Amino acid sequence: MASEHILHMQKSLSQMNLQIHHVLSDLTGASGQAILDAILAGERKSCSTGATLQLSREEPPRKSSQSFGGDYRPEHVFTLKQSLDGYRYYQKLIAELDREIQRLMQTLPSAVETEQEIPQRTKHSAFQRQGNDPASIFGGQLYRIAASISPIFPESAR
């Protein structure tokens, strides 16, 4: 679900004609989040955001400043805010789940600490476990009959 919100954020930025993808590879990183927060706070110039210091070093400054010139219509800013809030909500849920899993993992006994012996297998093959061994059907007679008929009737061999 968080990935859908990332796609919505990218679509909002595209509709706002912000070419952030030229200077930023990931919206979910520290720089991307700082840029999105700055846009939602009302900053409209790249030089006023502190996040541009962490942008890609290969991009020329002219290109990065042009990437922030766009159409900041209220409906696009609103959808960007909604998508960012949804993304952060799911990230919070994932963090809570990770903490709960970590807590439950601490209560489980460790396999290294216990000295239990692994039981020996009682069956030797998958066929024998399931009772599907062809040689065991009617003492192997049915299997031998089918094998002797197959050269006579090639269609039955399939």
Side-chain angles (χ1 to χ4, degrees), residues 9-30:
M9 287 187 285
Q10 290 171 343
K11 183 173 183 177
S12 295
L13 293 170
S14 175
Q15 288 177 335
M16 292 164 65
N17 199 23
L18 294 177
Q19 305 297 320
I20 294 179
H21 62 275
H22 288 295
V23 292
L24 190 66
S25 62
D26 186 15
L27 280 178
T28 61

Side-chain angles (χ1 to χ4, degrees), residues 24 26-36 51-55:
L24 190 66
D26 186 15
L27 280 178
T28 61
S31 298
Q33 296 291 303
I35 289 173
L36 293 176
T52 56
L53 299 175
Q54 299 173 5
L55 292 175

Side-chain angles (χ1 to χ4, degrees), residues 16 18 20 23 31 34-53 55 61-72:
M16 292 164 65
L18 294 177
I20 294 179
V23 292
S31 298
I35 289 173
L36 293 176
D37 287 335
I39 290 171
L40 293 175
E43 296 181 26
R44 301 295 184 243
K45 294 185 180 180
S46 66
C47 55
S48 63
T49 63
T52 56
L53 299 175
L55 292 175
R62 182 173 164 256
K63 189 169 188 178
S64 69
S65 65
Q66 288 175 346
S67 298
F68 291 94
D71 182 19
Y72 294 91

Side-chain angles (χ1 to χ4, degrees), residues 101-115:
I101 289 172
Q102 187 66 25
R103 186 187 67 77
L104 291 173
M105 291 294 289
Q106 298 298 323
T107 63
L108 294 175
S110 174
V112 177
E113 295 171 0
T114 59
E115 293 294 327

Side-chain angles (χ1 to χ4, degrees), residues 59-120:
E59 294 298 328
R62 182 173 164 256
K63 189 169 188 178
S64 69
S65 65
Q66 288 175 346
S67 298
F68 291 94
D71 182 19
Y72 294 91
R73 293 193 344 216
E75 60 268 21
H76 298 314
V77 174
F78 178 76
T79 58
L80 178 64
K81 180 187 180 310
Q82 292 290 305
S83 300
L84 184 60
D85 289 344
Y87 170 76
R88 287 181 175 158
Y89 175 73
Y90 279 110
Q91 292 303 309
K92 186 183 89 169
L93 290 179
I94 290 170
E96 287 177 17
L97 180 64
D98 286 342
R99 284 191 299 273
E100 183 65 17
I101 289 172
Q102 187 66 25
R103 186 187 67 77
L104 291 173
M105 291 294 289
Q106 298 298 323
T107 63
L108 294 175
S110 174
V112 177
E113 295 171 0
T114 59
E115 293 294 327
Q116 294 180 355
E117 200 171 300
I118 300 174
Q120 296 293 322

